[in-house]
Amino acid sequence: MALSYGMPTYRVEKRGLHIGVWQHGVSIYGWGTDRDGGFSSRHPTLISGKATIRLRSTDTAAVTDDELRALIRAALRP
């Protein structure tokens, strides 16, 4: 774990996943569309821009912990 662009960043080899907090929720940056564990196809409305997931507090009920774990594992898999 490190800070990158002022955000906590999890790294495995060359892959990184940035976590940002904003007024209405949390954003996850840096995952590739081919490395998201199917998250973007199950939750297309949560995708904002290129490789950005915006999780508002109102969205969290629709996303399970297992889905977040799968996203993180897929994004950081070497």
Side-chain angles (χ1 to χ4, degrees), residues 8-74:
T9 300
Y10 297 88
R11 292 200 181 279
V12 174
E13 295 180 9
K14 292 185 178 185
R15 303 205 188 253
L17 197 62
H18 312 285
I19 309 296
V21 178
W22 47 287
Q23 183 178 3
H24 300 289
V26 175
S27 292
I28 303 170
Y29 308 91
W31 53 276
T33 55
D34 60 333
R35 298 181 290 112
D36 72 351
F39 188 92
S40 59
S41 63
R42 288 189 304 276
H43 301 285
T45 59
L46 300 181
I47 308 306
S48 173
K50 183 180 178 185
T52 300
I53 296 170
R54 295 185 95 180
L55 288 171
R56 293 170 181 84
S57 58
T58 56
D59 300 324
T60 57
V63 180
T64 67
D65 290 346
D66 288 338
E67 287 181 301
L68 287 175
R69 281 188 209 94
L71 167 68
I72 293 165
R73 284 186 189 113

